[in-house]
Amino acid sequence: CKQLLKSKYPLQPLPSTMLSVSRSVESASSASLGLKNAAKLTSNLPAFSHTSSGAVRPRISRTRSASLIVARRENNEHAFETKKVVGQQPIDSWWLLGASLTTFMAPAQDAMAKGGDFGILEGRSVALLHPLIMSSLFVATGYAGYLGWQHRSTRTKGEEISELKKQFPKPDADGNAVGAPALEAQIATLTAERKELVARGFRDKHWNYGNVLLSLGVLTSVAGGMNTFMRTGKLFPGPHLYAGVGITVLWAMAAALVPYMQKGNNTARNAHIALNCVNLGLFAWQIPTGIEIVFKVFQFTKWP
């Protein structure tokens, strides 16, 4: 058999270009063609192939060659799909999380529509709660400022008494106290005034009014914007809205200074007073625009 093969197919090394073409055809067949097309491509190849050393070896059957090509292609595709699926696992997790959040947030889109979907919440009664409560809070802000100033007077009078006591003359050589009738009278007056202020409890009252302004004020401010959106389907940027946002922020900033004020920080105390003065000024400036909005509420809403 060997002699017959050598006589019929003499050793003739194939050019390198033909070897590369042969391998390219097999690679292309394994990547994009099925069993039938791969068999057609391999049918034109010689029955024998040359190894890298130039020896001749019989080529495997055409059907088997095509089967191996298709099997290789399927293995490559399976490995690619496996890698693709494994690489997308984090993306799938995020996608599931986003889908879950979208499911919970879907009902919120109903709030973008108007026309009675919220019943009494779109009526005149609920719409008038915001101006009524804010009017009360405007008066409460002014009164809270008065309470805070009286509490400040209580504290400063105590500091004045301490400073006056340091001005008493030193005892004489025999250790007798030297009288200072003017200082004693002044200290007695300040002490009586301070006792009266302490008895009226300005500190606790100021604290309570501050808590009401911070909690109820922020709640009513946010609820007013929500009610406008529920009734009209949008907000109306303008002086009233901007002033309301500023007032809400100033409430929070003034409250944030309280821990430093309790530690005796005079800078925090002065900043607290300044912020609340600006807040009261914005509140007063906001009243005319608020009255205009109240007229529009009566115009475009119905009871209840």
Side-chain angles (χ1 to χ4, degrees):
C1 291
K2 289 182 180 181
Q3 294 297 332
L4 180 61
L5 290 174
K6 288 181 180 181
S7 61
K8 190 173 182 179
Y9 300 99
L11 291 177
Q12 294 180 359
L14 291 174
S16 58
T17 55
M18 293 184 64
L19 289 174
S20 62
V21 169
S22 175
R23 293 167 183 170
S24 300
V25 170
E26 290 184 0
S27 177
S29 301
S30 63
S32 61
L33 300 178
L35 177 60
K36 182 177 180 180
N37 293 336
K40 289 180 180 180
L41 290 174
T42 54
S43 63
N44 297 326
L45 297 178
F48 294 88
S49 63
H50 290 68
T51 63
S52 58
S53 59
V56 177
R57 61 178 177 83
R59 182 176 292 277
I60 59 177
S61 65
R62 295 168 183 173
T63 304
R64 184 183 176 191
S65 176
S67 300
L68 291 176
I69 292 173
V70 173
R72 187 189 309 168
R73 174 173 172 261
E74 292 177 352
N75 290 335
N76 290 339
E77 290 180 352
H78 177 71
F80 176 77
E81 292 295 331
T82 304
K83 182 178 179 181
K84 182 178 179 181
V85 171
V86 172
Q88 286 183 350
Q89 283 181 353
I91 300 177
D92 292 341
S93 301
W94 284 109
W95 181 85
L96 291 175
L97 178 60
S100 302
L101 293 177
T102 304
T103 302
F104 287 107
M105 294 175 64
Q109 295 181 358
D110 295 337
M112 300 183 66
K114 60 177 181 176
D117 294 337
F118 297 95
I120 194 173
L121 296 179
E122 297 184 31
R124 187 176 297 172
S125 301
V126 177
L128 292 177
L129 287 177
H130 176 80
L132 289 175
I133 295 176
M134 281 300 181
S135 300
S136 303
L137 292 181
F138 173 72
V139 178
T141 301
Y143 185 62
Y146 166 76
L147 295 174
W149 189 260
Q150 294 299 322
H151 171 54
R152 178 185 175 86
S153 298
T154 304
R155 177 176 53 81
T156 55
K157 286 183 184 301
E159 295 175 355
E160 290 178 9
I161 294 172
S162 300
E163 291 295 328
L164 289 175
K165 289 181 178 180
K166 295 179 181 179
Q167 297 178 12
F168 273 105
K170 296 180 180 180
D172 56 13
D174 297 332
N176 298 321
V178 178
L183 286 176
E184 291 177 357
Q186 190 175 359
I187 290 174
T189 302
L190 291 174
T191 302
E193 292 177 355
R194 186 175 184 278
K195 286 182 179 180
E196 183 180 357
L197 293 173
V198 172
R200 297 179 65 177
F202 289 112
R203 177 181 178 277
D204 294 335
K205 292 179 180 178
H206 179 70
W207 184 273
N208 293 334
Y209 269 83
N211 290 336
V212 171
L213 287 174
L214 180 62
S215 58
L216 187 58
V218 172
L219 174 62
T220 308
S221 178
V222 175
M226 291 179 60
N227 179 260
T228 300
F229 190 81
M230 292 169 65
R231 287 187 292 105
T232 63
K234 59 181 179 180
L235 295 178
F236 300 93
H240 190 80
L241 179 62
Y242 297 146
V245 172
I247 290 171
T248 306
V249 172
L250 289 174
W251 274 329
M253 293 177 64
L257 295 174
V258 172
Y260 303 98
M261 296 165 59
Q262 292 177 335
K263 295 179 181 179
N265 191 323
N266 287 324
T267 302
R269 289 169 176 166
N270 294 332
H272 179 83
I273 295 173
L275 290 174
N276 282 291
C277 289
V278 175
N279 194 327
L280 185 61
L282 274 178
F283 227 140
W285 179 79
Q286 193 188 33
I287 292 176
T289 56
I291 294 175
E292 294 178 2
I293 295 174
V294 170
F295 289 151
K296 292 181 180 179
V297 169
F298 278 100
Q299 181 180 358
F300 296 104
T301 61
K302 298 180 181 179
W303 296 105

